[in-house]
Amino acid sequence: MDLEAVRTFVAAADAGQFQEAAAELAVTQQAVSKRIAALERKLGVRLFTRTPRGAALTIDGQAFLPHARELLRVAERAVASVRTGRRPLRVDIIASRGAASGLMRGFHRAHPEIDLGVVMLFDIETAVAAIRSGTIDASFRAVAAPGRPLPEDIESVRVLDEPLQLLTGPAHALAGARSVP
């Protein structure tokens, strides 16, 4: 579907006149008429009834209008998702109940204007590959693993020490310990 025709339809519906829609879109009234006619042919229905005062939506036009508005919103979100500096910040966290998810909730409350996409990737190798490919922007996870340093092109910054609790059976050697380093 031609999004310019849909945009023209919405502008004409809002203005109630093709001439006013043409002025708003910086095109001629003839261009507005042609776009609307092409859209009507594509849909197989009349969207407007022409009146002496302008144009009134038909029942089909009224039915199509909210969907047309949604099409334009979706198109804008699609463009924004790939526009530099406009796509959502994409972050990997290990679990939805961990401290990192709390950080993300706090960030979102503090910065509601920033779109945030949170994912949960399985392991560090998957997270590193996703960072390298640009699929995610950051990952919250423990990265210190004996014998497995991070690749040189990936940087880590300590942002959070999450308290963990060790659960053991009553006969385990660490069962009576008050803390475990």
Side-chain angles (χ1 to χ4, degrees), residues 74-136:
V74 169
E76 179 54 36
R77 285 195 308 266
V79 169
S81 74
V82 295
R83 190 176 294 145
T84 303
R86 298 274 308 174
R87 69 168 176 71
L89 177 65
R90 294 173 285 201
V91 179
D92 163 48
I93 61 173
I94 293 177
S96 62
R97 294 183 181 247
S101 66
L103 282 176
M104 292 294 90
R105 282 191 295 276
F107 177 84
H108 185 63
R109 278 193 295 275
H111 304 281
E113 74 284 2
I114 297 176
D115 289 331
L116 182 63
V118 178
V119 298
M120 289 186 278
L121 300 176
F122 181 67
D123 57 27
I124 187 73
E125 290 82 12
T126 305
V128 166
I131 288 171
R132 280 184 170 149
S133 71
T135 305
I136 62 171

Side-chain angles (χ1 to χ4, degrees), residues 2-23:
D2 179 4
L3 287 178
E4 283 308 310
V6 173
R7 186 170 284 106
T8 302
F9 163 74
V10 171
D14 290 345
Q17 294 182 348
F18 284 16
Q19 183 62 43
E20 224 176 285

Side-chain angles (χ1 to χ4, degrees), residues 28-102:
T28 65
Q29 182 176 344
Q30 183 181 13
V32 170
S33 294
K34 284 183 178 183
R35 288 178 185 175
I36 298 293
L39 184 59
E40 288 175 331
R41 277 192 306 280
K42 172 93 174 153
L43 297 173
V45 296
R46 300 279 302 164
L47 298 171
F48 289 98
T49 300
R50 278 66 172 180
T51 68
R53 288 201 222 153
L57 287 172
T58 64
I59 290 177
D60 290 323
Q62 292 171 19
F64 183 64
L65 183 59
H67 301 289
R69 290 186 196 285
E70 183 61 20
L71 278 172
L72 296 176
R73 280 191 293 273
V74 169
E76 179 54 36
R77 285 195 308 266
V79 169
S81 74
V82 295
R83 190 176 294 145
T84 303
R86 298 274 308 174
R87 69 168 176 71
L89 177 65
R90 294 173 285 201
V91 179
D92 163 48
I93 61 173
I94 293 177
S96 62
R97 294 183 181 247
S101 66

